[in-house]
Amino acid sequence: MKNALYCLVFFLVPALSFSQESELGNWMILFGNKQLNEKYNWHHEVQYRNYDAAGDLEQLLLRTGIGMNINNQANLLLGYGFIRSENYINDTDKNVINENRIYQQFITRQKVKKLSIQHRYRFEQRFVNDDLRLRFRYFLQMAYPVWQNENRSVYLSVYDEIFLNTEGDPFDRNRLYGALGYKFNDKVKVEMGYMNQFLNGANRDQVNIVTFINW
């Protein structure tokens, strides 16, 4: 347990110490899920993405949706997202883009002994200014507990997500992520992770601080 906490601190300190000149960004993310009844759930999330540790906004993402449980391992969801992007056009000036997004997604979960596996298939209709863009995303995540005590645990999480456009160049981006997480109880867990985002002709690195709340 102590070793796991030391690892969390090891990830956290560098995340808070990068200067504004650093190319390593920081994403602070809150995922929320409210079970409305046995069949329906309300998903909501806030993502505050920075070019550096904090204070230099790259993107603000607000997303929500209503999901329906098909069974204990599958969920179908219809959602909406608002995304504000601030993209640098030179060393000091930014171009602000507001995007409205409608999306549909299907999630399946499975368990192989202690290993949890999740597949997510998402289709997005992105309204960027006067332009409609369509995109498909596939997300594969695996999580494995390294320490457990009743409903608490320390776990390792990895995922890969690929983004594919329906027009032009099919490849949009790919995200590869690894994290150490702590589950406080069945309602709250926190992850500290590192993500590499592969883009056409470039890549970006981010430190992610993620909180999950079920209520």
Side-chain angles (χ1 to χ4, degrees), residues 154-179:
V154 175
Y155 64 93
L156 297 174
S157 176
V158 295
Y159 76 68
D160 187 80
E161 184 174 22
I162 187 169
F163 296 62
L164 299 173
N165 299 311
T166 61
E167 295 182 359
D169 189 344
F171 178 77
D172 185 279
R173 67 193 63 199
N174 189 83
R175 292 175 180 168
L176 182 62
Y177 169 86

Side-chain angles (χ1 to χ4, degrees), residues 28-32 44-47 209-213:
M28 291 174 282
I29 305 171
L30 172 65
F31 289 108
H44 47 285
E45 65 185 87
V46 178
Q47 299 194 28
I209 304 172
V210 190
T211 303
F212 301 85
I213 299 177

Side-chain angles (χ1 to χ4, degrees), residues 190-204:
V190 176
E191 289 181 6
M192 282 291 302
Y194 185 88
M195 184 180 73
N196 186 260
Q197 185 167 202
F198 302 88
L199 307 166
N200 275 323
N203 65 73
R204 290 287 308 278

Side-chain angles (χ1 to χ4, degrees), residues 26-132:
N26 177 31
W27 290 13
M28 291 174 282
I29 305 171
L30 172 65
F31 289 108
N33 186 68
K34 169 68 174 177
Q35 198 65 41
L36 301 175
N37 52 44
E38 290 184 359
K39 192 168 186 179
Y40 294 99
N41 68 288
W42 170 41
H43 170 80
H44 47 285
E45 65 185 87
V46 178
Q47 299 194 28
Y48 190 82
R49 303 172 176 178
N50 287 276
Y51 284 104
D52 50 31
D56 190 3
L57 179 65
E58 177 185 5
Q59 194 173 72
L60 173 65
L61 187 149
L62 308 174
R63 190 153 42 206
T64 189
I66 297 295
M68 179 180 68
N69 294 323
I70 298 173
N71 53 46
N72 291 334
Q73 290 79 39
N75 182 272
L76 188 65
L77 183 141
L78 173 65
Y80 164 79
F82 172 78
I83 299 91
R84 176 186 175 89
S85 301
E86 298 187 4
N87 304 317
Y88 276 105
I89 55 179
N90 54 46
D91 291 340
T92 57
D93 299 318
K94 289 182 176 180
N95 180 34
V96 177
I97 299 174
N98 292 322
E99 174 184 342
N100 292 281
R101 186 181 299 176
I102 299 171
Y103 67 99
Q104 304 81 40
Q105 73 179 30
F106 177 62
I107 291 178
T108 62
R109 301 178 180 89
Q110 61 189 110
K111 198 100 169 177
V112 180
K113 295 185 178 179
K114 291 185 177 182
L115 181 67
S116 299
I117 302 173
Q118 177 178 296
H119 304 267
R120 185 181 70 203
Y121 309 85
R122 179 180 289 172
F123 184 57
E124 298 175 327
Q125 300 85 56
R126 306 171 59 209
F127 298 89
V128 184
N129 296 330
D130 296 325
D131 189 19
L132 172 61

